[in-house]
Every structure is written in C-alpha cells, then in structure tokens.
Amino acid sequence: MAYQTIKYEVAEQILTIALNRPDKLNAFNAQMQGELIDAFDAADKDDNVRAIIVTGAGRGFCAGADLSSGADTFDRDARRGPVKRFADGRVDYSDPQVRDGGGQVTLRIFKCLKPVIAAVNGPAVGIGVTMQLAMDIRIASEAARFGFVFSQRGIVPEAASSWFLPRIVGISQALEWCYSGRVFPAQEALAGRLVSKVVAPDDLLPTARALAKEFCAKTAPVSVALIRQMMWRMMGADDPMEAHKIDSRGIYARGRSDDVREGVVSFLEKRPAQFKNKVSSDMPDYFPWWTEREYK
C-alpha cells in the first residue's frame, strides 16, 4: 500500500511509523485510520519487524481529529450517509457505519504481535493521545502536550479509551483529565503514569530506538508475541486461574519448541542464542486462546 498520511520505515528490525500530515499537526482522518490499520497488518506479517515505534512528523504527534469539516466533523450521517435504522426509526447501532474510527485503530494495535512504543514528540490530543493507550510504552519529549479534550468538544472519549485509560493511570486520574478536558504538559503525564519517561526533544527517537533494540537483541520473537497478548488480555480476567491456564499452555507448548532448547543450551554454553521460530508460522496451537469479539 502506498501511504500518504503516514511513513513506514524499517531499519535494524525496528519499524518506525510516523504520522505524516505535518502541515495539519498530523490531524487524524479516515485515510490515516485505514493506513495505520494496514501498517500494523503488514508489521505482524513481516518477521523482519521485531518492534514498532510510532511518532509524528514535524512538531506535533497528532492534534486529534481533523476538524476541517467544521460542525459536521463528528456527524456520521452527514459525513458518511444515513446509518441503518429500525422500522420505528431507532438507530441500528450494530451498523458498521456507526463504528468509531479511532477505536478500530486501537483495537488493531491491541491485537499486534510486536512491542509498540509511542515516541511522543509534540502535541497529542483527542485521538492523538487515545491511540497511544493501546501501545505498550509511551516516551514523551519535553515538548509534548496531552489532552483528553472530549468534554470541551461536547463528545465522549473514544478509541476504547474508557477501557485502556483507567487501567494505565487509575480511575481517579483518568476522570480528572477527562472531566476537565484540559491540555497538560509532559511532566504531568509522567507524574500521572501516562508516560514512562520524559526526555529532551533530540533524545526522543534515540531513546525509543534503544529500548526497541533491547526488545529485539536477545529475545525469541514468538515468546515476545505471546507475552504481549498474555499481559494485555489478562487485564480483563476475573480470576488468576485464567492466567494459570494460559501460562500452563504456554510453558507446555513452548517447552517442547526448538527455541527453548536453543535458549537453554546457549545459556549453558555461554553464547548468544539463535532463535529460529517465527511469529508468521510458529505460534503455538493454542493461540489464540480467546474468542474474538464482534461489533454488534
């Protein structure tokens, strides 16, 4: 796919996705939605991609939804045509036309099999911050600003952020930021646990790349893919027995793999491991262990 709103660059097994509408502070639109989903699809299929960094071109990360349509920006009927309705006039909310575009992006990131790092280089508001919540680690430049501005636009948080945000920062902090809708600096994001570190602007991408390289250097790709899904999906489990079931399947299936034999032998022989199993072809037979939810 020839991308127009993002850049897709792979170097040293690290994919860097740069939101690329710098003249609009990388404002999110339907084309960017489709291109981001396609990029994560491509990354999961490419065994040469071991980690992903998402950043913004120019001085912004993402200024939120593109508001160039004015008052109709969030009116789906006006922008996409009328959604389905029942005979009595009620909206059929199962119509895919109702679906939130930002949520489709975060759900795709949630399903990703590679570690994802947000390198937040500048303003990140609305979908510009909520898209980051499905990423694993967020690193901010001192120039970054964040805002869950929905209450100030008369709408509600989107991109499944009512699930992600409280799990990351806690319910009280999530509500404070969403109730007020104010834009806040990187240091407040750090204090509120939204980001893991704040660095000088020139250090942002080198810091993100150093972390990504650490994820790639000595690890088994299939193990990392499983770990990512285990951690995210167990956040919604109702009992630790659910984790024990999946842990047990993983230990059994991976314990018999060539990767584990290599991991143990290389350790005993004091040499770097050469892991051969691939995410594209060697995920264990119990994966996926969940039933995929449908929009309805």
Side-chain angles (χ1 to χ4, degrees):
M1 184 173 181
Y3 299 127
Q4 297 180 350
T5 67
I6 66 172
K7 293 180 181 178
Y8 185 106
E9 299 175 346
V10 180
E12 299 178 293
Q13 296 189 302
I14 300 167
L15 164 62
T16 301
I17 298 173
L19 310 181
N20 190 34
R21 302 183 72 208
D23 56 323
K24 301 286 188 181
L25 282 179
N26 303 319
F28 182 89
N29 60 14
Q31 184 173 2
M32 183 179 287
Q33 171 194 329
E35 291 184 1
L36 282 170
I37 291 170
D38 185 84
F40 276 90
D41 285 346
D44 269 352
K45 294 173 184 174
D46 186 353
D47 289 314
N48 189 47
V49 172
R50 295 288 311 280
I52 302 169
I53 296 171
V54 182
T55 193
R59 67 182 184 87
F61 181 82
C62 174
D66 188 331
L67 302 180
S68 59
S69 296
D72 289 338
T73 295
F74 298 105
D75 187 337
R76 297 297 173 78
D77 287 342
R79 297 192 62 193
R80 300 181 182 177
V83 301
K84 294 179 182 178
R85 293 182 179 269
F86 296 109
D88 62 4
R90 291 181 300 114
V91 173
D92 179 357
Y93 285 104
S94 69
D95 182 356
Q97 286 285 89
V98 176
R99 292 189 66 181
D100 161 45
Q104 293 178 64
V105 171
T106 57
L107 289 173
R108 181 59 190 87
I109 298 171
F110 176 74
K111 296 174 185 176
C112 185
L113 300 177
K114 315 293 172 74
V116 186
I117 301 167
V120 190
N121 56 302
V125 301
I127 181 60
V129 63
T130 56
M131 75 165 68
Q132 300 174 32
L133 302 180
M135 302 178 194
D136 304 311
I137 295 154
R138 288 159 295 283
I139 302 170
S141 159
E142 293 168 346
R145 299 291 183 271
F146 301 85
F148 298 91
V149 298
F150 310 100
S151 63
Q152 294 191 9
R153 305 291 181 269
I155 56 173
V156 297
E158 37 60 274
S161 56
S162 58
W163 191 91
F164 287 105
L165 186 59
R167 285 169 167 78
I168 294 169
V169 305
I171 187 67
S172 294
Q173 183 65 84
L175 288 173
E176 178 189 332
W177 284 336
C178 290
Y179 284 159
S180 70
R182 62 184 173 83
V183 176
F184 53 92
Q187 286 296 337
E188 183 174 337
L190 179 64
R193 299 185 300 172
L194 179 62
V195 302
S196 60
K197 61 182 65 176
V198 175
V199 299
D202 290 345
D203 293 335
L204 180 64
L205 283 177
T207 300
R209 289 192 66 83
L211 188 59
K213 287 179 180 178
E214 187 176 346
F215 295 163
C216 303
K218 299 178 182 180
T219 61
V222 171
S223 294
V224 171
L226 289 169
I227 288 166
R228 186 177 199 274
Q229 289 300 312
M230 288 166 72
M231 292 290 180
W232 273 112
R233 293 185 182 275
M234 284 306 141
M235 291 178 74
D238 62 354
D239 191 281
M241 178 55 76
E242 298 308 310
H244 178 58
K245 293 175 186 176
I246 303 307
D247 297 351
S248 298
R249 287 161 172 76
I251 293 295
Y252 176 80
R254 293 296 288 157
R256 302 171 66 245
S257 70
D258 291 339
D259 269 1
V260 171
R261 295 186 186 94
E262 170 64 9
V264 172
V265 171
S266 65
F267 175 77
L268 294 174
E269 294 179 351
K270 296 181 172 57
R271 61 172 175 79
Q274 300 294 320
F275 295 113
K276 301 294 181 63
N277 288 168
K278 298 178 179 180
V279 172
S280 63
S281 58
D282 299 315
M283 296 295 281
D285 58 4
Y286 70 89
F287 179 88
W289 59 86
W290 60 88
T291 300
E292 201 65 57
R293 300 290 181 91
E294 297 181 4
Y295 179 84
K296 58 183 179 179

